[in-house]
């Protein structure tokens, strides 16, 4: 089975993140892999979460052991992706040799896009409904999870969205609200059941909360320290992640 197109493009565009898989395989720990890669523990988590979200199956399997602890190893899918990355490196060398001018590589670089959105959820379109000037797009994330995005009709046409189109839903962490299991949800908003994976405190503002959805994909959100303490939210807590469809940005392979 071939890799999803979005993951394949990510491999080509963000090789340093895929190289992190090699460190995980060698070190058997995310903490040690981050040190070997010269990045922070938090950055390593972000990279692995993003890769797992884009893949059809998790690439890294982790065992808990407290913040900074626990072990990690590549899944069979992760090992396969690592082999693909190594083949892509060889192909990339051939591309560099074939480039007619150095400006050719600059042009390709400008055509590649990075995003500041912390959350990137992989899915496919399973519903399109016109609502005035906007379209409500239903996305199947897998594992019986579904979210909606509200975009302009022009965006639907420009992205050439249709049933079955693979997409990435982009969502800034600040747009995700963490709710307790009994807190009322806002009508019309996406509201997903999740488990708290980690809470990263920040002395200068809200804490970062890492959430795992039922299909294994992850979300990052921010929550006030006072609310977290009052709601007794800790790793392992069951919560809900809420965000309005108009906050969901969509991207498609190019």
């Amino acid at each position: 089975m071939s890799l999803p197109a979005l993951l394949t493009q990510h491999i080509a565009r963000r090789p340093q993140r895929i190289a992190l898989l090699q460190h995980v395989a060698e070190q058997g720990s995310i903490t040690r892999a981050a040190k070997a890669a010269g990045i922070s523990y938090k950055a390593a988590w972000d990279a692995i979460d993003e890769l797992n979200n884009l893949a059809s199956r998790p690439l890294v399997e982790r065992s808990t052991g407290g913040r900074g602890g626990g072990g990690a190893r590549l899944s069979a899918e992760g090992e396969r992706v690592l082999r693909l990355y190594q083949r892509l490196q060889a192909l990339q060398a051939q591309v560099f040799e074939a480039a007619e001018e150095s400006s050719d590589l600059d042009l390709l670089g400008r055509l590649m896009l990075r995003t500041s959105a912390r959350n990137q959820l992989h899915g496919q379109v399973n519903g399109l409904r016109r609502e005035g000037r906007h379209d409500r797009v239903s996305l199947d994330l897998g594992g019986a999870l579904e979210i909606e995005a509200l975009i302009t009709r022009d965006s639907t046409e420009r992205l050439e969205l249709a049933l079955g189109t693979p997409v990435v839903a982009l969502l800034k962490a600040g747009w995700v609200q963490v709710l307790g299991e009994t807190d009322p949800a806002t009508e019309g908003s996406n509201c997903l059941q999740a488990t708290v994976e980690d809470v990263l405190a920040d002395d200068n503002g809200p804490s970062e909360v890492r959430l795992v959805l039922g299909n294994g994909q992850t979300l990052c959100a921010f929550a006030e320290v006072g609310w977290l303490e009052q709601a007794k939210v800790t790793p392992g807590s069951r919560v809900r992640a809420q965000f309005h469809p108009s906050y969901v940005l969509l991207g498609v392979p190019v």
Side-chain angles (χ1 to χ4, degrees), residues 3-254:
L3 291 178
L6 292 169
L7 177 60
T8 304
Q9 291 187 22
H10 188 94
I11 290 174
R13 299 176 186 181
R14 305 294 298 275
Q16 70 276 20
R17 289 200 164 184
I18 307 298
L20 180 62
L21 296 179
Q22 179 68 54
H23 293 298
V24 172
E26 295 171 350
Q27 302 295 332
S29 160
I30 294 178
T31 303
R32 293 193 294 272
K35 185 176 180 180
I39 60 177
S40 68
Y41 173 71
K42 179 177 178 297
W45 270 78
D46 288 343
I48 291 171
D49 283 343
E50 184 175 344
L51 292 172
N52 282 343
N53 282 352
L54 291 175
S56 57
R57 293 185 295 274
L59 307 183
V60 176
E61 298 173 346
R62 292 169 288 194
S63 60
T64 58
R67 184 178 180 183
R73 67 182 183 87
L74 296 188
S75 65
E77 183 74 354
E79 292 175 349
R80 191 166 72 90
V81 169
L82 186 58
R83 290 194 298 270
L84 175 61
Y85 166 65
Q86 292 167 344
R87 292 199 295 270
L88 283 176
Q89 281 186 310
L91 291 174
Q92 186 181 56
Q94 296 177 20
V95 171
F96 286 163
E97 292 177 0
E100 297 179 5
E101 300 178 8
S102 60
S103 59
D104 292 342
L105 301 180
D106 293 335
L107 174 60
L108 289 176
R110 290 195 298 272
L111 297 178
M112 304 301 184
L113 175 67
R114 292 186 181 183
T115 172
S116 62
R118 292 288 301 279
N119 298 307
Q120 301 184 29
L121 302 176
H122 176 254
Q124 66 178 20
V125 176
N126 70 344
L128 282 168
R129 188 170 72 250
R130 292 280 173 87
E131 294 187 1
R133 297 181 178 178
H134 293 81
D135 286 344
R136 187 173 293 270
V137 185
S138 298
L139 305 176
D140 179 8
L141 302 181
L145 289 185
E146 184 176 297
I147 63 173
E148 293 184 336
L150 197 61
I151 63 176
T152 65
R153 189 173 303 175
D154 286 344
S155 294
T156 301
E157 295 174 353
R158 179 166 50 82
L159 296 176
E160 299 180 347
L161 297 182
L163 296 181
T165 300
V167 297
V168 170
L170 305 174
L171 188 66
K172 295 181 68 172
W175 293 343
V176 181
Q177 181 182 7
V178 182
L179 301 177
E181 289 194 289
T182 60
D183 292 335
T186 302
E187 185 177 356
S189 289
N190 294 297
C191 195
L192 303 176
Q193 296 286 341
T195 301
V196 176
E197 185 173 53
D198 204 356
V199 178
L200 305 178
D202 188 335
D203 295 335
N204 299 316
S207 296
E208 179 178 315
V209 185
R210 296 179 181 275
L211 306 171
V212 180
L213 303 178
N215 64 354
Q217 296 195 67
T218 57
L219 280 176
C220 176
F222 294 110
E224 296 295 335
V225 175
W227 181 85
L228 292 171
E229 294 177 348
Q230 180 181 3
K232 298 180 180 179
V233 173
T234 59
S237 296
R238 294 287 296 170
V239 296
R240 289 174 296 163
Q242 174 178 275
F243 49 92
H244 194 271
S246 61
Y247 289 160
V248 180
L249 309 178
L250 301 182
V252 298
V254 294

